[in-house]
Amino acid sequence: LRSALANYFSDNAKYPNATSYNSLLNSLISSRYLTRRVQDPLFPTQQYQYLVGADQGSYTITIQFEGLGSTLLSGSTTYQFGS
């Protein structure tokens, strides 16, 4: 997902102006930056969140884990990554 977004940014000088994670996936798949959907295993009851900056020069994806078992977490079940 990060790679697809980086490639999109490289080609377009901005990140997709999607209003939700689902619309982000649709945009990346239709423009051939992704070949399949990347989503929470508990979808649709749990979904990732995508937020793009006002100038489309940054983004944040928020993922909610079920527990603290992940090495990505330190005392929280929420993990964010972005540009």
Side-chain angles (χ1 to χ4, degrees):
L1 185 56
R2 278 186 183 182
S3 184
L5 284 164
N7 290 336
Y8 185 99
F9 187 85
S10 178
D11 291 346
N12 298 285
K14 63 182 179 179
Y15 291 104
N17 191 22
T19 57
S20 68
Y21 184 75
N22 191 49
S23 63
L24 168 67
L25 292 180
N26 291 340
S27 174
L28 292 174
I29 290 169
S30 68
S31 55
R32 302 188 193 277
Y33 290 96
L34 278 179
T35 58
R36 64 179 179 86
R37 298 184 74 71
V38 179
Q39 61 191 28
D40 192 295
L42 297 178
F43 179 83
T45 58
Q46 188 157 313
Q47 299 180 45
Y48 301 156
Q49 296 175 349
Y50 171 76
L51 180 63
V52 65
D55 65 353
Q56 291 179 260
S58 63
Y59 72 88
T60 303
I61 293 181
T62 304
I63 298 169
Q64 187 74 34
F65 289 97
E66 296 140 48
L68 295 175
S70 173
T71 58
L72 298 172
L73 304 172
S74 57
S76 172
T77 58
T78 301
Y79 177 68
Q80 290 184 330
F81 69 92
S83 59

